Amino acid sequence: MKRLKNFIQWFVYITTGILIVTAISFSILTDGTMPTVTLWQMLLAGFLTAGVTALFSPDEQTSKRAFLIGMFGHYLCLCAVMVGCGVWFGWINLTLPGVLMMCVDVALVYGITFTIYCLLEKKNADELNRKLQEKYNA
Amino acid sequence: MKITIESPQPGAQDEIIIRCAALDDDLLNLIYALKMGRDKLSGYSEKGMTMLSIQDIYYFESVDNRVFAYCEKEVYEVRRKLYELEAEYAYTDFLRASKSTIVNISKIARLTSAFNGRLEARLKNGEKTIISRQYVPELKKKLGIER
């Protein structure tokens, strides 16, 4: 149940990031119209990358350096998944510029998702601090 | 609530037994007051043995199979196991924070989010300790943020 909750959480964050990046991409690179099937493709891409992310669960005792290396490995896995999705859905061609463009998009989604995650964690910590103040008048 | 006071057997330690169908807030507050107010723990240092007041302990840490109690400035060895302390002080301000630490949440000055879902607790004496991801729900429960 905890794993499922974790997966759903990441699916929401990542799909939000994909939505933002897709909206920007379509606005810049096309006439702004988007086929309906793209929405389903985005959901599927979000589902697959959330699955990869849910599996990326560093050990509690991981050092900061190992954690950062793990994050980079995670990013590479996501690039591989998204390049696959991009070629399958016809978003990109399997060429160097196509792959690089997808890697940039993944980095943008990664950044957005990580930012959302950090903001929510900070909100969580702020709420705990408020409760500490109330209870112990710290 | 019925209160019964009995004399123990000669040589036996004073003991409080709470018999209840369920632990409600009133009983939890009573246990908290008994534990935090009166309980003492034997602590050992180079100077010898000291009776430590539970309220003065900032956190317990297990290192090399030895448990240490950290007060504001002093450190004492406690001849108890970490899991024993966790069970004994379950209904108090003490929270299992990681595999090797139990922290007194009344001594936390500020919490900040650390990476990987953990929390960094800065204590009132300036020390820092980590609250592992798996123990954050229990912290929320102790602070009354149950979801």
Side-chain angles (χ1 to χ4, degrees):
Chain A
M1 194 54 152
K2 192 180 169 184
R3 280 185 183 271
L4 179 63
K5 190 181 168 187
N6 202 31
F7 169 78
I8 292 170
Q9 180 183 291
W10 283 116
F11 175 69
V12 170
Y13 295 167
I14 290 169
T15 307
T16 303
I18 291 173
L19 180 65
I20 293 169
V21 170
T22 305
I24 295 169
S25 298
F26 267 86
S27 300
I28 294 171
L29 299 173
T30 69
D31 60 0
T33 56
M34 188 173 72
T36 312
V37 68
T38 305
L39 292 170
W40 293 107
Q41 291 167 349
M42 282 162 53
L43 283 171
L44 181 58
F47 181 87
L48 292 171
T49 49
V52 169
T53 302
L55 290 173
F56 170 75
S57 188
D59 189 81
E60 278 284 340
Q61 306 303 322
T62 303
S63 67
K64 198 167 184 178
R65 186 165 179 268
F67 181 74
L68 289 171
I69 291 170
M71 266 182 79
F72 184 67
H74 175 221
Y75 167 71
L76 292 178
C77 288
L78 293 177
C79 285
V81 169
M82 287 307 295
V83 165
C85 286
V87 171
W88 180 19
F89 300 144
W91 294 345
I92 60 167
N93 296 316
L94 193 56
T95 58
L96 185 60
V99 169
L100 284 175
M101 189 182 79
M102 183 56 76
C103 290
V104 168
D105 285 346
V106 171
L108 286 171
V109 174
Y110 206 103
I112 292 168
T113 307
F114 191 70
T115 302
I116 295 171
Y117 174 76
C118 287
L119 287 171
L120 288 171
E121 287 293 295
K122 185 181 179 306
K123 185 186 167 191
N124 184 40
D126 288 345
E127 189 184 5
L128 289 168
N129 282 322
R130 199 174 57 251
K131 283 291 180 180
L132 272 173
Q133 290 273 351
E134 284 172 14
K135 190 167 181 178
Y136 301 111
N137 204 23
Chain B
M1 187 187 296
K2 182 181 166 187
I3 297 177
T4 305
I5 300 175
E6 299 173 351
S7 298
Q9 297 291 332
Q13 196 181 13
D14 285 350
E15 185 180 14
I16 296 175
I17 299 171
I18 296 177
R19 197 173 282 119
C20 59
L23 280 172
D24 59 16
D25 285 347
D26 286 340
L27 283 173
L28 286 171
N29 287 334
L30 178 65
I31 294 169
Y32 174 89
L34 284 167
K35 285 283 183 190
M36 295 302 288
R38 294 189 47 177
D39 233 7
K40 298 275 185 190
L41 201 59
S42 304
Y44 299 85
S45 66
E46 290 166 354
K47 298 174 187 173
M49 192 190 83
T50 308
M51 292 309 292
L52 306 174
S53 175
I54 293 302
Q55 295 175 91
D56 295 335
I57 297 173
Y58 280 57
Y59 65 99
F60 295 102
E61 187 177 24
S62 171
V63 180
D64 294 335
N65 285 324
R66 295 163 72 185
V67 177
F68 296 89
Y70 291 75
C71 298
E72 188 178 3
K73 290 175 185 170
E74 305 83 21
V75 181
Y76 301 91
E77 184 176 356
V78 170
R79 292 183 186 165
R80 305 278 293 278
K81 297 286 184 189
L82 207 65
Y83 70 87
E84 291 173 346
L85 293 166
E86 184 188 6
E88 184 157 347
Y89 300 112
Y91 298 107
T92 66
D93 291 332
F94 284 90
L95 167 81
R96 188 65 180 262
S98 71
K99 285 179 186 170
S100 60
T101 57
I102 295 172
V103 70
N104 183 347
I105 61 173
S106 69
K107 301 299 186 189
I108 295 176
R110 184 148 186 88
L111 291 162
T112 49
S113 59
F115 63 94
N116 200 18
R118 305 187 298 177
L119 289 168
E120 182 183 83
R122 184 166 57 82
L123 305 179
K124 291 176 180 174
N125 64 349
E127 286 193 65
K128 292 179 185 176
T129 189
I130 290 289
I131 299 175
S132 295
R133 183 177 56 208
Q134 68 183 101
Y135 299 110
V136 170
E138 184 59 28
L139 172 62
K140 289 183 177 180
K141 197 174 160 187
K142 281 190 182 283
L143 293 175
I145 316 173
E146 281 177 282
R147 295 191 194 278

